[in-house]
Amino acid sequence: MTQAHHNDDVPQPSADDLESLAELVDQATSEVQKLDDDSRTLALNLKRAVEAFHKAGLTRIVRRLKDDPRGKELLFELADDPLVYALFVMHGIIRADTATRVTQVLETVRPYLHSHGGDVELVEVRGDTVYVRLHGACNGCSQSAVTLREGVEEAILGQITEIKQVEVLPNEPSPALITPDAIGVSSGSDWVKGPSLDATPPGTLLRFDTDVASVLIVNFDNRLSAFRNTCIHKGLPLDSGLFDVDAGILTCPWHGFCYDAHTGECITAPEAQLESFPLRVEDGQIWVRPTKQQS
Ligand code: FES
């Protein structure tokens, strides 16, 4: 092998920290992408050949260290160094932790999500569950949002075998949400006094709790409805869901089931329905007749 000579035109690493070196690799990689097809193929072949050479050498070093008790200890210490860890992960010598691999999987689907106006954020990995938040076009219940969500789930479940489920966490509460404390509500025995009409303008998604049930008041386009505040999917509360006031669709914050905001009909599972309660308005006051949930 010939001795390498430094060329003044080629940037040389000025630091040996992981971030600077990774940046150098990224810069060089993006420069290579700008080359014409033949040059790019040559450059990528060279990169692969050098990586294969390094991987083979590193694998031998690691095997020898593993065979020796003192070497094994040293190997564990080395793997605590972020630079060595990244090198081992890059060459498939050790497996990255689950969160890192989930992040890598999400990076592969992100360009597709972006091209459809959506995005995904990894919140945490706990046990065999990944918790994510979805943004933009991934939210809601249009066919494309459902497809994007499923794409995220499939990518994670298909590539990270120890993950068994993907949970979508709610985003920030709908700005239309009003807390019961803010308006003051009181309970009666049968019909229950709810909020005033003034406190429930169009676009309102309002929860109030009575002795017998948690109630969700929805005002879609000046049409008022009262529902049990319970999603039919897993029985979780709906009040911090997303209310699309233009489409009249309410989206459960937990796993994205969608409902017609006026009728409560479930769009995701069309044979299902939110439980609605009788509602009447008297002298600018809303009254609701909730019932106890059947066990
Ligand atoms: S509880 Fe799962 S979608 Fe509502």
Side-chain angles (χ1 to χ4, degrees):
M1 190 174 292
T2 54
Q3 182 76 38
H5 294 281
H6 285 171
N7 179 335
D8 288 344
D9 295 337
V10 178
Q12 299 303 316
S14 54
D16 65 357
D17 63 292
L18 176 59
E19 215 169 299
S20 309
L21 291 169
E23 202 178 311
L24 211 64
V25 173
D26 287 346
Q27 273 174 14
T29 306
S30 71
E31 290 302 318
V32 166
Q33 295 305 330
K34 294 178 198 158
L35 297 173
D36 60 68
D37 287 354
D38 288 350
S39 309
R40 192 171 57 245
T41 304
L42 277 176
L44 291 175
N45 285 346
L46 173 64
K47 177 173 174 273
R48 278 187 212 110
V50 172
E51 282 175 357
F53 174 60
H54 288 175
K55 180 177 179 175
L58 276 171
T59 306
R60 283 192 197 182
I61 294 170
V62 169
R63 272 199 201 124
R64 289 296 299 274
L65 286 171
K66 263 186 176 167
D67 290 344
D68 181 296
R70 281 180 311 134
K72 207 169 178 176
E73 208 175 306
L74 186 61
L75 194 58
F76 285 136
E77 279 175 29
L78 277 169
D80 280 341
D81 180 323
L83 194 147
V84 178
Y85 177 80
L87 187 69
F88 284 174
V89 168
M90 176 184 158
H91 288 297
I93 291 168
I94 56 174
R95 221 160 62 132
D97 60 60
T98 308
T100 305
R101 282 181 294 127
V102 172
T103 303
Q104 288 165 348
V105 168
L106 293 182
E107 286 310 316
T108 65
V109 295
R110 207 181 297 284
Y112 175 69
L113 301 180
H114 281 177
S115 71
H116 288 75
D119 204 354
V120 60
E121 169 197 347
L122 172 64
V123 178
E124 68 169 322
V125 177
R126 213 185 310 143
D128 62 4
T129 305
V130 168
Y131 296 87
V132 295
R133 281 204 176 87
L134 297 167
H135 302 287
C138 295
N139 252 321
C141 30
S142 62
Q143 190 53 47
S144 63
V146 172
T147 308
L148 293 176
R149 251 194 321 265
E150 285 174 354
V152 169
E153 287 177 7
E154 276 167 24
I156 295 173
L157 296 175
Q159 294 182 58
I160 316 282
T161 49
E162 67 267 36
I163 296 299
K164 301 293 177 237
Q165 53 187 345
V166 177
E167 295 279 338
V168 178
L169 293 174
N171 285 315
E172 295 302 309
S174 160
L177 183 69
I178 305 169
T179 62
D181 293 350
I183 52 167
V185 292
S186 63
S187 303
S189 54
D190 186 5
W191 282 93
V192 178
K193 188 178 177 185
S196 70
L197 260 190
D198 288 346
T200 55
T204 294
L205 173 65
L206 165 68
R207 164 190 174 168
F208 77 97
D209 295 325
T210 72
D211 290 344
V212 293
S214 176
V215 178
L216 200 61
I217 301 285
V218 182
N219 183 340
F220 170 50
D221 210 15
N222 272 327
R223 289 177 293 167
L224 285 161
S225 310
F227 302 113
R228 188 183 297 285
N229 182 24
T230 305
C231 177
I232 54 129
H233 179 218
K234 288 196 175 176
L236 295 169
L238 278 163
D239 54 273
S240 61
L242 207 81
F243 183 12
D244 181 337
V245 291
D246 295 323
I249 288 171
L250 181 60
T251 304
C252 177
W254 302 97
H255 315 96
F257 269 43
C258 298
Y259 299 93
D260 181 302
H262 181 53
T263 64
E265 184 187 339
C266 183
I267 298 161
T268 314
E271 70 285 357
Q273 167 92 35
L274 285 180
E275 184 182 349
S276 60
F277 298 133
L279 177 150
R280 64 184 165 89
V281 178
E282 248 177 51
D283 299 330
Q285 181 66 50
I286 294 173
W287 292 81
V288 179
R289 196 168 60 187
T291 52
K292 267 207 167 102
Q293 191 147 28
Q294 303 295 318
S295 48

